[in-house]
Amino acid sequence: MNMYAKQRSCVLNEDRLSRLPDDILIHILSLLPLKDAVKGICNASRRFHKFWPFIHTLNFDQCMFPEHDCDYYLEAGRPDYDERFVHSVRHVLLRSKSPTIHKFCLKFHFRLSYSFWQRTSNSTGIWQYYDFLRSEKRMANEIGTWIQFALNKNLEVLDLSFSEHGTVGPQALYDLPNCVLSSPHLVELRLTHCTINAKKKSKLKSLKTLYLNNVVLMDQSMDYILSGCPMLEELTLQLCYGHIRVVLLNSNLKTLKLDIGWFRQRIHVSCPTLLSLDMSGAVEVLDIANVASIAEVSVNRNLIFDFDVYKDYQGIKTFLQTFTRAKTLNLCSWFALVFSVWQLKNLPSPTFSCKSLHLQLDFMIWNLPGILNLLKHCPCLENLIIKITSSYNEFTSQKQLSWYHLYKFDADEYWNMVDAPVQCLIHHLKTVEVAGLVKKKFVIQFLEYLLRHSMVLKKMKIFAKKKTSKIFEYEERLLNAPKASASAAVLFY
């Protein structure tokens, strides 16, 4: 090998990563999980060892810590923390030299069980666990110093999770330090399994995303938090406890996601800038006002109503009338039953302006009148998307179907008996997408009805798993079905 070839070989084999500027290397290391970044540094050249104190993303996850045994700490009947994990957090923070921290993430199984017992129990026996109490409080105070350290570095993203394996409910959660709600640099705040007891208006002037999961909101904490978030764009409340009001009269809030547990009875929402609402769970009363800008609504409601009670009809109708201007509507099978009752009882239904309708259906016999009723009251509908689940829904109780014996119809001939024209099928419906258990008899009959009456239909897309390479009988039926639109194409995936 000549000298030129040797030099060229050395250049090709040289570690190109080491030739990058320091700030780019630090940024790359910050994108890695902390344990991977440290591992990579240990295996790299000595030049890399000076970089890790300048990493600006700190991600501490107890479950991902090497050799951490979650089962051991789940079974522990006393405050027992993984000291190796705690020591690693201390070590990284002590060595940290970055002038700013972009993201601080802490996932740590921590509860104040003995402190909660002390506050709520009249028993003097709690004092025999004084050492446990002291250990809990000492750990809580240290966590507070970790959080404060990150906030002092102009922190932008804070993600705290104190969930403990096998625990459910709002008791004995970590108390969020007040300093978190007074951080002007935070852009994103994510909190899981903790308690917020705000006593004054927050100062989160840069916050755009707020995610609360299993958080206890004491007294008027929700009001105090939101009143100090003028830039908030996305708010998620998942299985939170306490008094919940989402009132933002002069804000930038665009997206609101609510997942409500069975214990929650009333939610109040008022936001003129809201564009998207995603609500699921068992909320009994949802007060919604001042949401004229809303464009996309998704509702997955699990609460059981007595459909024979007139006040329930009025309440549900009022609730749905709030969203009549939305362009995209996403409803669960529960609402198909609601519209079935209204169709069979000749009760007036709200008319929607939506162009896209997403339905998640069990596709039982008693869904059929509801589907027809929805199509009638979506006169501008262009896109119909249906996901078909199993025929049994745990929330479909005998009480919900207590009215069905009063109304009898031949399900096999239901769509053949529909003679009144449906406005959206004549003028607007262009695409239909169906996924899931599409081979059910009632589904095929419904799709044949759509093909016969959709005069401007362009595509019907069907997503179903194929067990063989042969064309199923239902595919042949749909391919050969009469079509009102000459340009309609039936596609299988």
Side-chain angles (χ1 to χ4, degrees):
M1 181 181 295
N2 59 32
M3 184 62 67
Y4 173 77
K6 288 183 178 180
Q7 291 177 345
R8 187 171 184 272
S9 176
C10 291
V11 171
L12 290 174
N13 292 329
E14 186 178 351
D15 181 4
R16 295 183 179 181
L17 191 64
S18 299
R19 299 170 60 188
L20 294 174
D22 291 359
D23 56 342
I24 294 180
L25 286 173
I26 292 171
H27 181 72
I28 292 173
L29 291 172
S30 296
L31 296 176
L32 298 173
L34 190 61
K35 63 183 182 68
D36 293 338
V38 174
K39 182 179 179 181
I41 290 170
C42 292
N43 295 330
S45 64
R46 293 182 60 84
R47 176 176 173 238
F48 279 71
H49 285 257
K50 67 178 182 179
F51 291 144
W52 80 261
F54 295 93
I55 292 174
H56 51 69
T57 295
L58 303 179
N59 190 342
F60 304 103
D61 189 339
Q62 180 176 284
C63 287
M64 299 298 293
F65 194 72
E67 299 181 5
H68 175 78
D69 186 355
C70 290
D71 292 336
Y72 169 79
Y73 294 96
L74 171 61
E75 296 171 0
R78 56 189 173 82
D80 195 357
Y81 314 112
D82 191 332
E83 287 296 335
R84 298 175 309 115
F85 173 75
V86 173
H87 176 73
S88 71
V89 177
R90 294 169 181 159
H91 178 71
V92 170
L93 297 185
L94 284 172
R95 295 290 302 275
S96 177
K97 297 180 181 179
S98 177
T100 61
I101 295 179
H102 170 68
K103 179 179 180 179
F104 181 85
C105 177
L106 175 64
K107 299 185 186 302
F108 186 39
H109 303 306
F110 179 70
R111 288 173 67 83
L112 294 166
S113 303
Y114 290 92
S115 302
F116 176 78
W117 185 15
Q118 180 190 28
R119 292 196 303 267
T120 59
S121 175
N122 294 323
S123 172
T124 57
I126 184 63
W127 295 109
Q128 64 181 301
Y129 301 105
Y130 176 73
D131 288 341
F132 295 166
L133 277 166
R134 187 171 58 178
S135 175
E136 281 184 348
K137 292 180 179 179
R138 183 171 59 247
M139 191 71 253
N141 289 336
E142 181 167 3
I143 292 172
T145 63
W146 298 346
I147 296 171
Q148 184 66 69
F149 174 86
L151 292 175
N152 290 341
K153 302 273 189 172
N154 295 341
L155 185 67
E156 294 184 7
V157 180
L158 178 60
D159 186 352
L160 303 174
S161 175
F162 300 101
S163 60
E164 187 175 22
H165 294 298
T167 59
V168 178
Q171 297 181 346
L173 300 183
Y174 174 74
D175 294 319
L176 187 74
N178 292 329
C179 60
V180 173
L181 302 180
S182 300
S183 180
H185 301 286
L186 278 180
V187 176
E188 181 177 343
L189 177 59
R190 305 178 69 87
L191 302 173
T192 301
H193 280 88
C194 65
T195 297
I196 300 178
N197 191 8
K199 297 297 184 182
K200 60 181 180 179
K201 179 180 177 180
S202 68
K203 298 178 181 179
L204 300 167
K205 64 179 183 179
S206 302
L207 195 69
K208 293 185 177 181
T209 300
L210 177 60
Y211 172 89
L212 304 181
N213 180 4
N214 277 276
V215 170
V216 177
L217 296 159
M218 302 296 290
D219 301 328
Q220 305 300 313
S221 292
M222 194 76 250
D223 290 339
Y224 283 131
I225 293 170
L226 296 180
S227 63
C229 302
M231 303 300 293
L232 191 64
E233 296 180 357
E234 182 175 346
L235 173 61
T236 300
L237 301 176
Q238 184 170 344
L239 301 178
C240 291
Y241 306 78
H243 181 68
I244 297 178
R245 278 166 35 94
V246 181
V247 180
L248 294 163
L249 299 180
N250 298 298
S251 74
N252 292 307
L253 191 69
K254 303 293 188 296
T255 302
L256 174 61
K257 298 178 182 179
L258 299 172
D259 186 359
I260 313 301
W262 287 101
F263 46 82
R264 183 71 253 160
Q265 294 186 351
R266 194 178 194 97
I267 304 289
H268 181 73
V269 176
S270 178
C271 181
T273 60
L274 193 65
L275 297 178
S276 175
L277 173 64
D278 186 336
M279 192 199 82
S280 61
V283 59
E284 184 172 338
V285 179
L286 182 61
D287 294 330
I288 297 184
N290 201 14
V291 289
S293 298
I294 202 161
E296 181 176 355
V297 177
S298 177
V299 185
N300 188 358
R301 202 166 187 173
N302 296 335
L303 195 62
I304 297 173
F305 279 87
D306 187 344
F307 294 131
D308 286 326
V309 179
Y310 183 71
K311 68 178 180 64
D312 285 344
Y313 160 71
Q314 289 287 63
I316 300 170
K317 182 182 177 183
T318 301
F319 168 76
L320 290 172
Q321 283 175 331
T322 311
F323 311 125
T324 54
R325 296 183 181 180
K327 298 304 179 185
T328 300
L329 197 59
N330 191 328
L331 299 176
C332 64
S333 195
W334 186 88
F335 279 100
L337 285 177
V338 172
F339 277 85
S340 287
V341 177
W342 294 353
Q343 171 78 7
L344 295 171
K345 291 187 174 185
N346 293 317
L347 293 172
S349 300
T351 297
F352 301 95
S353 302
C354 64
K355 294 188 176 182
S356 293
L357 176 62
H358 300 244
L359 297 175
Q360 183 167 318
L361 297 173
D362 303 327
F363 235 102
M364 301 183 299
I365 293 174
W366 297 103
N367 289 138
L368 305 185
I371 297 170
L372 176 61
N373 199 10
L374 276 167
L375 291 177
K376 287 180 177 178
H377 289 87
C378 296
C380 301
L381 187 65
E382 296 180 2
N383 306 300
L384 177 62
I385 300 160
I386 300 177
K387 181 179 180 181
I388 302 166
T389 58
S390 62
S391 58
Y392 173 75
N393 187 324
E394 61 178 312
F395 297 104
T396 304
S397 68
Q398 290 299 319
K399 184 176 182 181
Q400 283 181 286
L401 297 177
S402 60
W403 45 268
Y404 79 93
H405 66 277
L406 300 175
Y407 306 92
K408 294 183 179 180
F409 57 86
D410 186 348
D412 288 331
E413 294 295 324
Y414 184 80
W415 297 107
N416 292 327
M417 296 185 296
V418 177
D419 51 4
V422 178
Q423 192 74 9
C424 68
L425 301 186
I426 298 174
H427 299 292
H428 298 288
L429 189 65
K430 295 181 176 65
T431 62
V432 176
E433 293 185 16
V434 185
L437 304 176
V438 299
K439 292 180 287 185
K440 297 167 72 171
K441 178 175 63 174
F442 297 140
V443 178
I444 302 304
Q445 292 170 348
F446 170 62
L447 295 180
E448 288 177 328
Y449 166 78
L450 290 180
L451 289 171
R452 290 196 307 269
H453 294 85
S454 302
M455 302 186 69
V456 295
L457 185 67
K458 294 183 178 179
K459 290 182 181 180
M460 177 178 285
K461 300 179 180 180
I462 300 174
F463 299 85
K465 294 182 179 179
K466 295 184 178 181
K467 296 183 179 180
T468 67
S469 59
K470 296 180 180 180
I471 298 179
F472 289 106
E473 179 183 352
Y474 81 93
E475 293 183 351
E476 292 182 339
R477 282 184 60 177
L478 294 177
L479 287 171
N480 297 324
K483 300 175 180 63
S485 171
S487 59
V490 181
L491 307 172
F492 299 93
Y493 297 89

